[in-house]
Amino acid sequence: METRAETEALAGVLAALDLREVEPDVYAAAPYDDLGVVRSFGGQLIAQGLVAAARTVEGGVPAHSLHAYFLRPGDPDGETLFRVGRLRDGRRLRSRSVSVEQAGRVLATMTVSFAEPAPGFAHQADAPQSPPPETLPTLAEWTEPHGGLADSWLGMRTVETRVAPHPPAGPSLAWHRMAGTVPDNPLLHQALLVYLSDVTTLSAALVPHGFPLGIEEVDGVAWDAVSLDHAVWFHRPARADDWLLFAQQTPAAADGRAFIRAEVFTRDGVLAASITQEGLFFEAT
């Protein structure tokens, strides 16, 4: 059963995604900072950008992909504007651009594509083996030996995360879900999956270097990271308030940047989404 704190935290996230139209194709998000971070949370910004783009698409057509570039940090206490450009409306596909702005400065740019469902061939990769999430430590418990860094980052447990052990050569595994019950709105679940996609993805780049997933400081060595770009492909519907398994791998890191890709599976093994992200890593001071 969800706690009152979780219910209130989820309500805050849903309110952050309930954008206000200020003029045609321009939407505003009120300040919302449940995470206690010094800069705007990238996953939240692109989730809001997806919602803004969808507001200009008729008929409830689902998104099939989004691509975002982050240009500068945002202020979590400032109002954010989302300016949508209508690039194309085809028979099956709709394309939109989104400029994410604060105080006249562009924080990020996005393209979002929407696709009418259609019949066709289908296949998917198999889900990796993982213990059930209920048997695994929470992210707070997982990081406790290293000071519980991620516990404060997650604030009121709007996002619930459990971490699985993984072999050195295999993907790092994390189960994520929104803590609470999300309304039956497919777009909202897509936006919340995007929100979840920025919780442990970047930290997976440090796993090959001896850092447990979700931890960026070990034995006095600390790293910080910011997203440079982020892409999500939606393959099949999934609920963001059910457990989702993120299988994360980092095939390359060089020149202070690391590349991570992830596959997102439902609890019953359905491949719901794929993610890629590149981050800029630097020693924390």
Side-chain angles (χ1 to χ4, degrees):
M1 178 177 295
E2 61 198 66
T3 66
R4 179 177 178 180
E6 290 172 343
T7 301
E8 292 176 350
L10 178 59
V13 174
L14 297 182
L17 295 177
D18 187 16
L19 307 183
R20 173 174 54 90
E21 185 173 16
V22 295
E23 59 184 81
D25 295 353
V26 180
Y27 302 88
Y32 172 72
D33 179 22
D34 178 43
L35 302 176
V37 291
V38 296
R39 53 183 176 260
S40 298
F41 176 43
Q44 178 176 299
L45 289 180
I46 59 177
Q48 291 168 323
L50 170 59
V51 171
R55 292 277 186 90
T56 69
V57 177
E58 295 181 358
V61 179
H64 81 83
S65 68
L66 66 82
H67 302 254
Y69 280 92
F70 294 97
L71 305 178
R72 52 175 59 89
D75 178 3
D77 296 322
E79 182 181 71
T80 309
L81 293 180
F82 300 84
R83 299 185 185 275
V84 181
R86 302 185 184 224
L87 303 180
R88 181 176 184 270
D89 284 305
R91 287 189 302 172
R92 285 191 54 197
L93 301 176
R94 324 283 195 269
S95 299
R96 300 290 186 265
S97 63
V98 183
S99 177
V100 184
E101 304 173 7
Q102 276 187 348
R105 306 170 74 220
V106 178
L107 306 184
T109 61
M110 297 173 57
T111 55
V112 187
S113 184
F114 300 82
E116 296 271 8
F121 62 84
H123 62 265
Q124 69 159 72
D126 293 332
Q129 295 296 313
S130 172
E134 295 84 359
T135 68
L136 297 171
T138 66
L139 190 55
E141 294 167 344
W142 174 264
T143 59
E144 185 176 3
H146 303 277
L149 299 179
D151 186 30
S152 60
W153 189 89
L154 286 175
M156 295 174 64
R157 293 174 61 83
T158 305
V159 178
E160 186 175 1
T161 302
R162 294 177 181 268
V163 183
H166 57 277
S172 59
L173 302 177
W175 290 93
H176 294 300
R177 70 175 179 184
M178 300 304 297
T181 301
V182 177
D184 293 330
N185 180 327
L187 170 66
L188 190 55
H189 285 273
Q190 285 191 321
L192 291 172
L193 190 154
V194 172
Y195 192 105
L196 294 171
S197 74
D198 201 24
V199 174
T200 58
T201 310
L202 280 184
S203 65
L206 296 173
V207 171
H209 303 277
F211 290 71
L213 185 68
I215 289 295
E216 297 176 354
E217 180 176 354
V218 173
D219 296 333
V221 178
W223 290 92
D224 199 355
V226 294
S227 295
L228 296 176
D229 54 13
H230 194 136
V232 181
W233 291 263
F234 302 98
H235 307 308
R236 297 170 182 85
R239 293 191 63 93
D241 52 3
D242 286 343
W243 285 111
L244 296 171
L245 178 63
F246 284 66
Q248 304 157 139
Q249 293 184 304
T250 174
D255 295 327
R257 303 186 309 276
F259 176 74
I260 307 97
R261 60 183 179 227
E263 295 176 321
V264 183
F265 296 89
T266 65
R267 187 165 183 148
D268 55 359
V270 173
L271 179 58
S274 296
I275 301 161
T276 61
Q277 191 172 14
E278 186 178 44
L280 181 68
F281 285 77
F282 47 92
E283 290 194 44
T285 56

